Amino acid sequence: MKIPLLDLKKQYALVRAETEKSIRDVLESQLFIGGKYVADFEEAVAGYSGVRCAVGVSSGTDALLVSLMALGICRSPLDEGPADEVIVPAYTFFATAGSVWRAGARPVFADINPDTYNIDPDSVLSKITPRTRAIIPVHLYGQCAEMERIREIASARSIAVIEDGAQAIGASRDGVKVGNFGDCACLSFFPSKNLGGLGDGGMVLTNDESLAKSVRELRNHGMEPKYYHRRVGGNFRLDAIQAAGLLAKLPHLDAWGEMRRANAAFYDSAFAGCPQVRTPRIDPRNRSIYNQYVISVGNRDEVLAHLRDMEIGCEIYYPLPLHIQECFKPLGYAEGDFPNSEYAAKHTIALPIYPELEKGQLERIAGAVAESAR
Ligand SMILES: Cc1ncc(COP(=O)(O)O)c(C=O)c1O
């Protein structure tokens, strides 16, 4: 029987009544932009994450872009001289670096820690220049980056820190949740995320009220008061229907997280006797939410072919590191610049980890990997 990489249908069955009721409510109100559901959802996520402010936006990508803009990292057509620099990992989803480019700043890549796949603070340190304005550590696959070292590097030089928490709502380090480590943090509610919407959505979390105010203005064309613009913003608003759907799911998020951790623990023990399968290493200070469970194997093509033959969903996150993407060629990087990122791109496979997986399915997946990995 086919096992997809992600199956949202069972999750939907659990929240169907509440979701449909809330959406009907939005439809009856005919208020689709802003309003009660957006405000309630912002308050609920702020409470959940233990932060002072939460601002709903149109996607995780726009959360990154609007955060850069709010921090003043945004080139205008009148600016002269060299661009601001923002340090990002070479191994992450494209949006981390793409949003820096779109803000008119230069993405400066750093390598990752080969154990956690998160940005390596030593590599960050080696990339600092007088033009570095921000660092964007990514909490990849749902595990926090080494935030205390990143903060130390940044605060000694008055450099901003934007957490890319697109894959990591509720993940914690030393008991502190994502959103409390940087100047701000960006969340994504893309449907495949642990808290997935009915389409695109995102959020900026911060403990800095004036930064939150800037994000609120900039998500609505920098408009304050109506039709007056001190700064150029954009349309980065979160829809009421998205907020309504997400609000119905939020109360289940922790239970789903526990189920994901239980699935991860199953895989960890199933692969304990298979040294050819490298399981995810979670820093003991971290509590991962396992947005993905990513293994590394020496013979990836064979393992992928076997999983496909057995109709088991899997994915490569990500097959080409960002420093060698075609669009970033003008930045002058070359293959070999970031060996850990390049190794990860060649050897990793994400396995199904969604909460509703059954024991028999987990056994079948683990068995298929174990019998094909070399
Ligand atoms: C690490 C990372 N950053 C940013 C994003 C962008 O989020 P969105 O798809 O909501 O724009 C994603 C989502 O896929 C992501 O995984």
Side-chain angles (χ1 to χ4, degrees), residues 281-325:
R281 313 264 165 91
I282 305 301
D283 182 329
R285 298 171 67 170
N286 283 342
R287 189 162 201 248
S288 176
I289 62 154
Y290 285 102
N291 179 240
Q292 302 296 343
Y293 184 91
V294 175
I295 57 164
S296 168
V297 291
N299 60 334
R300 183 168 71 180
D301 288 349
E302 280 172 66
V303 176
L304 286 174
H306 188 56
L307 291 173
R308 279 188 200 122
D309 283 351
M310 293 190 64
E311 298 193 296
I312 293 170
C314 54
E315 186 57 90
I316 299 172
Y317 299 118
Y318 301 90
L320 191 66
L322 298 184
H323 64 291
I324 44 179
Q325 292 284 348

Side-chain angles (χ1 to χ4, degrees), residues 316-346:
I316 299 172
Y317 299 118
Y318 301 90
L320 191 66
L322 298 184
H323 64 291
I324 44 179
Q325 292 284 348
E326 191 167 344
C327 63
F328 292 138
K329 259 194 190 148
L331 295 173
Y333 292 96
E335 194 149 2
D337 284 348
F338 300 110
N340 297 336
S341 299
E342 291 166 28
Y343 185 92
K346 288 191 180 109

